[in-house]
């Protein structure tokens, strides 16, 4: 049988079922809730900042090159570097000159040329009035060779020398010289041509701008004028 309750009894029962925390417990809950709220806000700000960085400054995962593209980029970089290196070398081309004998005269002078065979001139070194003209002060390797055809009808010798002409000296300065005795008694047989003899000179010298280098030789009438036999040159070091 249902038991009916009065309104007053119902109200009293509800009041008994409601939990009313004491003052201290309510204050602690409020602090915990506030701390949790602050933590949630901080996490939200941090995540937002991370997302902003990822899409603005982070790695571009959508444009990463594959193996083929990476290889192509590497080849392009190497080609660019190689082109730069070659251009740099060409702008730093050292002065050099190599002369070949063109003719000779009876006054111990070889006539040089710089425009045929293996002859060349670059970087400021040039041939003027049969002398090499120095374009800038510095160290230069100077060299020359003369090949002679020797006829041993009498005792003789061959010689070859390089002279430096400079405003610093009153007279030409001998910087290299070589002499060889080429005919002895055993080599003289009825004036026949017995052999070829060569003289080579080479060394490093401190030269000044405007200095000139020239050669003189003895026995020039028999100097060999074939390409590669008799030459004269210099280059900056």
């Amino acid at each position: 049988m249902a038991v009916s309750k009065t309104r007053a009894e119902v109200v009293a029962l509800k009041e008994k079922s409601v939990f009313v925390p004491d003052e201290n417990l309510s204050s602690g809950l409020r602090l915990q809730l506030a701390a949790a709220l602050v933590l949630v806000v901080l996490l939200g700000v941090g995540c937002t900042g991370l997302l902003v960085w990822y899409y603005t400054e982070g790695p571009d995962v959508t444009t990463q090159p594959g193996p083929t593209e990476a290889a192509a980029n590497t080849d392009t970089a190497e080609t660019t570097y190689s082109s730069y290196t070659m251009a740099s070398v060409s702008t730093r081309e050292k002065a050099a000159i190599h002369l070949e004998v063109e003719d000779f005269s009876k006054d111990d002078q070889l006539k040089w040329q710089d425009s045929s065979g293996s002859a060349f001139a670059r970087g400021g070194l040039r041939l003027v009035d049969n002398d090499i003209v120095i374009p800038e002060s510095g160290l230069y390797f100077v060299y020359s060779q003369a090949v002679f055809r020797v006829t041993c009808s009498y005792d003789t010798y061959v010689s070859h020398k390089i002279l430096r002409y400079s405003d610093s000296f009153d007279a030409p300065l001998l910087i290299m010289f070589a002499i060889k005795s080429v005919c002895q008694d055993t080599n003289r047989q009825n004036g026949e041509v017995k052999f070829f003899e060569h003289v080579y000179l080479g060394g490093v010298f401190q030269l000044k701008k405007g200095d000139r280098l020239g050669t003189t030789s003895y026995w020039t009438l028999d100097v060999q004028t074939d390409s590669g036999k008799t030459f004269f040159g210099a280059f900056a070091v």
Side-chain angles (χ1 to χ4, degrees), residues 54 58-64:
Y54 182 83
D60 186 4
V61 297
T62 61
T63 59
Q64 291 295 324

Side-chain angles (χ1 to χ4, degrees), residues 201-222:
L201 305 170
V204 176
F205 298 90
Q206 176 73 44
L207 302 176
K208 293 184 178 181
K209 181 178 181 179
D211 284 358
R212 294 177 296 116
L213 302 173
T215 65
T216 61
S217 302
Y218 177 73
W219 210 256
T220 54
L221 290 179
D222 288 310

Side-chain angles (χ1 to χ4, degrees), residues 34-50:
L37 180 61
V38 171
L39 181 60
V40 170
V41 171
L42 291 177
L43 288 174
V45 171
C47 291
T48 302
L50 181 61

Side-chain angles (χ1 to χ4, degrees), residues 45-82:
V45 171
C47 291
T48 302
L50 181 61
L51 289 173
V52 170
W53 173 85
Y54 182 83
Y55 285 106
T56 58
E57 304 293 337
D60 186 4
V61 297
T62 61
T63 59
Q64 291 295 324
T68 302
E69 184 178 353
N73 291 339
T74 301
D75 292 340
T76 301
E78 291 178 352
T79 301
T80 302
Y81 176 76
S82 177

